Amino acid sequence: MNLDRQLRLYTSYSGRISQEQFWLAFLWVAIPVMAVEALVSVIFYYQMDPGFIALWSLNPGDEGYDEAFASMFESIRWALYVQLGLFAVTFVPLTAISVKRRHDRGARGISVWVYAAATLLIHVGIATLDPT
């Protein structure tokens, strides 16, 4: 595949792609994302661990409970920010290949946009929650 064709595969919303092209393109995007997600999970799990353990030993209303909960929630919030960044980076390539695959199946790509919007709203909603 030449560079122009490869670029159109990941950025154009018109046309069709075969099942093989879809899965190869999906894996080229998904494998690095999964590697970053695994690394983020490990980093934020160890950062979150003291607050999580403290929550097991405390009851709501006990001294230190609110601080432990806030600490754990802040770690989760930063993990969500990383996920939002990955979502932003992979949004165009994944939606482009998904819409093309839907076209290949004889369907409209609107379901891809609905799913992407729902995913974005959920992540932004959780990232902007205030635990207090």
Side-chain angles (χ1 to χ4, degrees), residues 91-108:
F91 180 78
V92 170
L94 288 178
T95 55
I97 62 173
S98 298
V99 166
K100 287 179 185 178
R101 187 64 188 147
R102 296 286 294 158
H103 291 168
D104 190 51
R105 304 284 298 159
R108 296 180 58 201

Side-chain angles (χ1 to χ4, degrees), residues 14-77:
S14 63
R16 299 168 177 243
I17 59 173
S18 69
Q19 186 175 7
E20 180 183 356
Q21 284 177 311
F22 171 79
W23 285 111
L24 287 174
F26 181 81
L27 288 175
W28 274 107
V29 174
I31 288 174
V33 168
M34 287 188 286
V36 170
E37 285 284 344
L39 181 64
V40 167
S41 295
V42 168
I43 290 170
F44 286 106
Y45 170 77
Y46 285 110
Q47 183 181 358
M48 182 178 77
D49 192 44
F52 187 69
I53 291 172
L55 282 177
W56 279 101
S57 62
L58 297 171
N59 293 316
D62 288 351
E63 185 177 331
Y65 179 85
D66 292 335
E67 292 82 13
F69 182 79
S71 170
M72 185 184 75
F73 195 83
E74 195 60 31
S75 295
I76 293 170
R77 184 187 316 258

